[in-house]
Amino acid sequence: MADFALGVSDPPDNIEELATPLPVPRASIPNYAERVTAASGSVYGRGYLTCQWTFSRLTAAQRAQLKTFCAGESAKVYISTLADDDTYKTYHAVMRWAENETREPATRERLELIVTFSQMEIIV
């Protein structure tokens, strides 16, 4: 079992143990909102951390479960996601709903639903 978690309070709930369990997403490693190249040629990160969770297939019930955390276009949530050191870390973040949703006509499953988390602040 992975330790991806999502909730409106800390600690967030493991997504595989929700009332309607969610599949483990492909997740980008949290990184800065912007990469800047300095005059010296070195690169540094600027802004809050961001990451994305990509769900390959979601049933209507799973999509509805995920939507409970973000009823509108965005919501403040707590997440636990895989960090660059291969450990799970918890963050307070803004969850932004997918800009595009594609659906499989035969099964009505959502395909490649991408949720973005921005303004991530680590919880210590």
Side-chain angles (χ1 to χ4, degrees):
M1 179 181 304
D3 289 325
F4 286 94
L6 177 62
V8 295
S9 61
D10 185 32
D13 298 312
N14 186 301
I15 64 171
E16 295 176 277
E17 297 175 355
L18 295 171
T20 301
L22 297 175
V24 173
R26 289 190 321 269
S28 64
I29 299 298
N31 207 338
Y32 291 98
E34 181 180 24
R35 290 173 52 118
V36 178
T37 303
S40 66
S42 61
V43 177
Y44 63 93
R46 183 166 63 185
Y48 286 102
L49 295 174
T50 65
C51 78
Q52 291 183 328
W53 286 1
T54 302
F55 295 93
S56 296
R57 291 184 99 78
L58 289 178
T59 64
Q62 289 171 326
R63 181 200 179 274
Q65 175 71 75
L66 187 59
K67 194 69 176 156
T68 63
F69 298 100
C70 186
E73 291 299 311
S74 67
K76 292 187 177 184
V77 295
Y78 291 86
I79 66 167
S80 181
T81 194
L82 198 57
D84 62 356
D85 63 358
D86 291 331
T87 64
Y88 287 87
K89 292 189 170 52
T90 301
Y91 302 88
H92 188 236
V94 173
M95 178 181 179
R96 296 187 321 204
W97 193 252
E99 290 185 24
N100 298 305
E101 292 186 57
T102 57
R103 190 179 347 195
E104 174 65 45
T107 63
R108 298 185 186 216
E109 290 180 328
R110 295 305 200 275
L111 306 174
E112 291 292 309
L113 189 128
I114 301 171
V115 176
T116 302
F117 299 96
S118 62
Q119 294 181 290
M120 296 171 62
E121 297 181 72
I122 195 159
I123 303 297
V124 286

